[in-house]
Amino acid sequence: MSVPLAYVIAGSEATGGAGIQVDLKTFQQLGVYGVGTLTCIVSFDPKNGWAHRFVPVDPQVIADQIEAATSAHALRTVKIGMLGTPATIETVAAGLASQEWDNVVVDPVLICKGQEPGAALDTDNALRAQILPHATVVTPNLVESTILSGADSIGTVDELIEAAKVIGRQGPKYVVAKGGVELPGDEAIDVVWDGEDVTVLTAPKIGEHRVSGAGCTLAAAITAELAKGADVPSATRTAKDVVSAGIEARVSAATPFDTVWQGAYQG
Ligand code: PXL
């Protein structure tokens, strides 16, 4: 029996609500065997308002993990999550270039919830220059779309579409630009731009509060569906259903945000 495989290169988020923990849970729920490489360890600090504590993994150790994973398995589909430093980006870009991929899903984690935007311009620029050109799909949230497109702000669906088009010119074949709860209106809107046409996906917003792990779950679910042979538009539609079900059944914690329950989606 051959099981579909998906690979993720991402960071650990110690509360379980984001990062590689979410990616691997999502892969499993969608019937895909997950292989993971760790780029960094994020441990929120409960004594200090759950502020970020961030430790990058040594670049050589990242390269070693990529070597082990890609030597053990015939991996064709990969998701890139949080990278965090220019040195990590350099190492991961070299890993991506070392073999061919059918699908590279890039979740451009420029900042996490609670961090200041623009904290690390060199990291943003390295991601844009070295990772985006490899992407089959990139999945920016509203803040990331604003940064990557250079827009002053994004407050409407038309502005989100414009930003997706600008990001699409930086290399990725598909841009899935997420409106999330911050984009005004009753619907959670995602814009899919394929270089020629735009598709607007909608789902009812579930509450007005952000839920941790929604972005990681969406990109991981797209990755899993691509690994199973879906095309990008249908993978994105399924992924949106996975996120909606997971937000509906969210898990509460002492952290500032509830988190997505990946086990809720039953296909
Ligand atoms: O949600 C983005 C994200 C991704 N990956 C890691 C994170 C976060 C946000 O906290 O810590 C490791």
Side-chain angles (χ1 to χ4, degrees), residues 11-13 18-20 40 42 44 52 82 109 111-113 213 216:
S12 165
E13 192 278 272
I20 203 162
C40 60
V42 172
F44 295 127
H52 274 64
M82 185 169 176
V109 182
I111 52 154
C112 294
K113 292 183 181 62
C216 298

Side-chain angles (χ1 to χ4, degrees), residues 42-259:
V42 172
S43 317
F44 295 127
D45 184 356
K47 302 183 299 309
N48 180 23
W50 300 95
H52 274 64
R53 292 179 292 199
F54 166 85
V55 179
V57 172
D58 183 281
Q60 185 58 52
V61 178
I62 298 173
D64 291 349
Q65 294 175 80
I66 294 173
E67 182 186 24
T70 56
S71 302
H73 299 286
L75 301 169
R76 305 293 308 171
T77 297
V78 58
K79 173 190 160 173
I80 309 298
M82 185 169 176
L83 299 174
T85 74
T88 300
I89 289 170
E90 179 108 32
T91 305
V92 171
L96 285 177
S98 70
Q99 70 157 74
E100 303 231 324
W101 302 94
D102 294 334
N103 304 290
V104 178
V105 179
V106 177
D107 189 8
V109 182
L110 298 181
I111 52 154
C112 294
K113 292 183 181 62
Q115 274 187 309
E116 285 301 311
L121 198 57
D122 54 347
T123 302
D124 298 0
N125 287 337
L127 186 108
R128 196 196 307 260
Q130 297 181 57
I131 303 292
L132 270 198
H134 291 283
T136 316
V137 192
V138 62
T139 61
N141 63 22
L142 210 57
V143 172
E144 291 153 355
S145 286
T146 308
I147 294 171
L148 291 174
S149 70
D152 290 336
S153 67
I154 300 174
T156 66
V157 178
D158 284 345
E159 287 170 355
L160 191 59
I161 292 170
E162 251 346 279
K165 291 180 180 175
V166 173
I167 296 166
R169 280 185 226 123
Q170 298 173 36
K173 290 200 188 68
Y174 288 85
V175 180
V176 177
K178 303 173 287 186
V181 291
E182 277 93 358
L183 195 71
D186 296 335
E187 304 282 331
I189 292 183
D190 297 311
V191 161
V192 184
W193 168 244
D194 66 6
E196 283 182 10
D197 294 310
V198 67
T199 309
V200 177
L201 303 177
T202 62
K205 272 186 188 168
I206 304 163
E208 281 294 324
H209 295 290
R210 298 190 298 178
V211 173
S212 174
C216 298
T217 305
L218 186 90
I222 292 173
T223 308
E225 290 302 303
L226 293 175
K228 291 194 285 189
D231 60 20
V232 172
S234 75
T236 307
R237 251 174 255 121
T238 303
K240 209 165 158 58
D241 291 344
V242 173
V243 172
S244 293
I247 292 177
E248 196 79 63
R250 61 191 171 272
V251 175
S252 60
T255 46
F257 303 102
D258 292 346
T259 78

